[in-house]
Amino acid sequence: MVTAPLSNPQVGVGAVIRNERNEILLVLRNREPEKDTWSIPGGKLDLFESLEHSVIREIKEEVNLDVDVVGLLCMAETIRPERNEHWISAIYEVNIRGGELRNMEPDGAIGDVQWFALDRLPPKIACFTLPALEQLSK
């Protein structure tokens, strides 16, 4: 499939979610961008939606968790002209306040959902997840 060139960068959001064992929640991406890599959950900002509302909505839609935003952790930028990709992503730290962890898109965007210790991460990490991991290691 050939896509039209982008006229503007796309805006995304992501969330760093930790459990009581200080493990981080990652999802296995089934779609581009970054297909077959592990990433923090998140998605695309909708028109007229705030970044914080977007991350809360995306987490509920993807992994069925209700979260509260703690604050902005970092920004991530992905520029890949050869793949017609330019994303700017706001990555937030969030706390779980409810819901039951579940892959809400098993036949779509998400292949798996798992908790990982920061010192035992899977080998293929999505590039827009790396800035968040760098911030967490400081």
Side-chain angles (χ1 to χ4, degrees), residues 110-131:
I110 300 174
D112 197 4
V113 176
Q114 289 186 38
W115 295 103
F116 291 93
L118 289 172
D119 61 352
R120 292 206 169 112
L121 295 171
K124 293 176 70 179
I125 301 288
C127 69
F128 52 85
T129 298
L130 295 175

Side-chain angles (χ1 to χ4, degrees), residues 14-18 52 55-56 67-74 91-97 136:
V16 170
I17 306 170
R18 291 187 257 191
E52 288 189 6
V55 77
I56 291 167
V67 297
D68 292 318
V69 173
V70 174
L72 182 66
L73 179 65
C74 63
I91 300 173
Y92 289 91
E93 282 189 279
V94 301
N95 287 331
I96 300 170
R97 70 172 155 78
L136 292 175

Side-chain angles (χ1 to χ4, degrees), residues 39-76:
S39 76
I40 55 175
K44 188 175 179 182
L45 179 74
D46 288 342
L47 187 62
F48 306 118
E49 182 180 39
S50 74
L51 290 167
E52 288 189 6
H53 182 269
S54 179
V55 77
I56 291 167
R57 174 186 54 77
E58 284 288 348
I59 299 314
K60 185 65 174 178
E61 289 176 1
E62 288 192 355
V63 295
N64 195 45
L65 294 176
D66 300 307
V67 297
D68 292 318
V69 173
V70 174
L72 182 66
L73 179 65
C74 63
M75 298 294 293

Side-chain angles (χ1 to χ4, degrees), residues 1-4 31-32 82-84:
M1 167 161 61
V2 176
T3 58
R31 293 187 188 152
E32 296 296 346
E82 72 282 2
R83 299 184 74 166
N84 199 35

